[in-house]
Amino acid sequence: VQVQEAQRVLGRINPRRNTPRHIVIKLITIKDKDKILKLTRGKITTYKGTPIRLSADFSTETLQARREWHDTFKVMKGRNIQLRILYPGRFSFKVDGEIRSFAEIKQKLREFSTTKPALQQMLKKLL
């Protein structure tokens, strides 16, 4: 694993608590980042005996796409439909035993929902 750049992010430090330090690390290849996140998922990761948390930093486009999906997700989760967010800007869900995946949520989901009347009724206000 080769690190291109690492820097500490400034934040408020509470003298009464052990405040964690945030460090942003930029790796040379995306594969290294994916490999590290995959290996540490669901495990307690430590550095010199101290537990640390690792998380991915998403691009502005990905975060914007996820914000657009928020209302749709809320409705579908309320109906107990299994949802997943896939990186970078896709989401998938399971309906009638079939897994569907979309990148452009509004247009593609609108087209797909015309074949499933129950889904179309559920999402009519959002699409």
Side-chain angles (χ1 to χ4, degrees), residues 58-69 73 84-92 101-106 108:
F58 295 113
S59 68
T60 308
E61 294 84 19
T62 303
L63 293 173
Q64 179 61 35
R66 288 181 178 205
R67 276 188 212 107
E68 291 173 4
W69 300 342
F73 268 42
R84 286 182 34 187
I85 297 176
L86 306 171
Y87 183 80
R90 298 177 64 84
F91 90 100
S92 70
S101 178
F102 300 100
E104 299 169 8
I105 187 168
K106 298 289 182 184
K108 298 290 184 180

Side-chain angles (χ1 to χ4, degrees), residues 71-83 91-102 105-127:
D71 294 334
T72 306
F73 268 42
K74 198 172 181 181
V75 169
M76 293 176 91
K77 277 186 178 182
R79 303 292 176 118
N80 293 326
I81 294 178
Q82 296 175 354
L83 297 163
F91 90 100
S92 70
F93 64 93
K94 191 174 192 178
V95 61
D96 296 335
E98 181 181 0
I99 297 175
R100 301 298 295 188
S101 178
F102 300 100
I105 187 168
K106 298 289 182 184
Q107 179 186 1
K108 298 290 184 180
L109 187 57
R110 187 180 303 119
E111 292 171 8
F112 176 70
S113 67
T114 59
T115 63
K116 306 283 184 187
L119 185 63
Q120 188 176 20
Q121 179 68 22
M122 182 189 330
L123 300 173
K124 68 180 177 183
K125 294 178 183 175
L126 297 173
L127 301 175

Side-chain angles (χ1 to χ4, degrees), residues 2-30:
Q2 294 181 337
V3 176
Q4 180 178 346
E5 180 182 350
Q7 58 186 335
R8 203 177 316 171
V9 178
L10 295 176
R12 287 194 321 199
I13 296 176
N14 187 344
R16 295 183 190 147
R17 286 184 36 189
N18 186 9
T19 307
R21 292 181 174 178
H22 297 273
I23 300 172
V24 176
I25 298 174
K26 186 172 182 179
L27 302 173
I28 291 179
T29 64
I30 298 295

